Structures are given as C-alpha cells and as structure tokens.
Amino acid sequence: MDGLTELEQLKGLLVVLTFGVAVAGLLLPSYGGLGARTNVALNLGAGGVVLSSAVVHLLPDAAEADEDFPWAFALFGFGYLSTLSLDAFGGGHGHGASPEGGSPKYESVPSLEGGAAARSKAAARSAAAATASATTALAVHSLGDGAAIGVQVHARACAVVGLAIVVHKFFGALALGAILSRDGPLLKAPAAIFAVATPVALLASWAGAREGLFGGVFADRVTALCAGTLLHVCIHEIIGGNLRRPELRGPAKLAYVWGGFCAMTLLAVWV
C-alpha cells in the first residue's frame, strides 16, 4: 500500500507538472523567449536526458517482462518507426524551432495570379494549415504521453517516464508557442488543447489502472512503446533539429548532449 500511495502521489504531481510546463512553454515566446543560444543549449541538454531515459532506464525495465519473445525491443522499434512515419506526413514537432520565430516563413509563398492580395491569402492559408498541423501532431503525441504515465504500476518507472515527458513537453510547448503567437497574441484554443492533452490522458489511464484494467505486463508494453517514441523525438526533433542551428559551435553543442545523457544515465545508480 505504501508503494501504491507513493505512486499515486507521483502521478498527481505529474498531472500538475505536465500542465504547468505546457503553459510556461506556450507563453514564453510571447515574452521574448529564452534567447537563441540558451534555447539551443537547453534543447540539446534535454535531448541527452530524453535519450538516456529511453535506452538506459525505460527499455531495460520493459524488457524484464519478456520471456518467449522480445516484445519490449519489438515495441521499442515500432514506437520509433510509427512516430517517424507520422512525422514524415505531419511535418514534425518543431523542437528545433527558433524562439525568435520558429514557425515556417509563410511570407515566402511563390507569386500567384492576382498579385499581392492572392499572395497574402495563400500565406494566411499556409499559416493556418501549419498551425493546425503542429497543434494536432503535438496534441496526439501528448495524449500518448499522458497514457504512458497513467498506466504505470511502479513508482520508479513512473518517475523516469514522467521526467522524460516533462522535459520534452516543455520544449515542444516552446516551439508550438512560437507558432501560435507569431502573428499576435497567443491563439488560445489550440494552446488549451495542447496544454490539457497530457493531464487528461494521464487521469483517464490512471483511473483505468486503479480499476485493474492495466496489469504490470501491459504497463511494460506501453513503456517500451513510449521509449521508442522518445527515441525518435530526441534524435530527430530535439538533437537533430538543434545541431543544425548556428547559435553554438559544434563541440559545444555535443557537450550539452553528452552532459544531459551522462547526468541522466548516472541516475540509474540510484533510481
């Protein structure tokens, strides 16, 4: 019972944290953001943390339940490839977006018949489409994040999953906030959808876990799937996107990635 109480307290804390970091990340671009160099450094450090969470903490834990078939590794690969496929069609999460205006440059729409008015309408349609695409992709991903936390039955696994999700959710919110506030005040409806997606999914899956709908093996399967999606996010979205940005030199960029990875890996000694 003590373990259950600790687990439920942790899940309650993560409900608050996932909502709080989403709101903070969404609002920050409206107040000047973090600055380009700071944003890149923190993103790269977070990428190292998420990478370690996926391959050092979550995957080995999920694999402990495997007996006749390596389900954890198969689902790890499935999670990675499915997220890669979704992002290939949806345009990615945009963790590498610049805090000064990380959305696509809609003003560069090619000339159309009808002159400036037609180009302006095309730019507006492009901006609206990009906003809808980014919000949908991040909200759907956030629902999966919340479910991955809610089904956990062990406090240790819940803590690691929760930490990785809180870290990467903040930078996802930062990128989405830059898009939603590009042309003026923050667009409230898309921001609200993104902010509540993870807490709502967490609460729903948590309720199911309390009713016994999700056993320990099911939680391990979800953890492996979550680890695969986190691998994609950290490599392609967080690390890959920020390594291409010019604000920091190559060795400094890699130092932040290594620092985040080593710090999170060392936690495996105690957590």
Side-chain angles (χ1 to χ4, degrees), residues 106-197:
Y106 307 114
E107 64 272 18
S108 61
V109 174
S111 296
L112 303 172
E113 298 83 357
R119 290 195 298 273
S120 178
K121 290 180 180 179
R125 287 195 299 269
S126 178
T131 297
S133 175
T135 303
T136 301
L138 283 165
V140 170
H141 188 76
S142 295
L143 289 172
D145 288 344
I149 297 172
V151 301
Q152 297 302 321
V153 295
H154 301 295
R156 177 185 181 279
C158 184
V160 174
V161 172
L163 175 61
I165 287 172
V166 166
V167 168
H168 108 261
K169 188 173 183 66
F170 172 73
F171 291 102
L174 198 63
L176 183 61
I179 294 174
L180 297 181
S181 60
R182 177 182 180 275
D183 296 319
L186 183 73
L187 298 177
K188 293 181 176 59
I193 291 171
F194 171 74
V196 304

Side-chain angles (χ1 to χ4, degrees), residues 210-228:
R210 294 185 65 182
E211 294 297 323
L213 299 179
F214 311 123
V217 174
F218 180 83
D220 288 335
R221 302 292 186 252
V222 173
T223 297
L225 192 66
C226 177

Side-chain angles (χ1 to χ4, degrees), residues 23-39:
V23 172
L26 287 166
L27 292 177
L28 199 54
S30 299
Y31 294 92
L34 293 171
R37 291 173 62 88
T38 302
N39 182 269

Side-chain angles (χ1 to χ4, degrees), residues 249-262:
R249 295 181 179 179
K253 293 178 182 178
L254 293 174
Y256 284 111
V257 178
W258 274 101
F261 178 82
C262 292

Side-chain angles (χ1 to χ4, degrees), residues 59-98:
L59 184 57
D61 286 350
E64 290 179 358
D66 292 344
E67 294 181 359
D68 299 328
F69 184 82
W71 284 107
F73 295 95
L75 289 170
F76 180 74
F78 181 84
Y80 171 83
L81 290 174
S82 60
T83 311
L84 178 68
S85 300
L86 287 173
D87 277 0
F89 288 103
H93 295 356
H95 288 270
S98 169

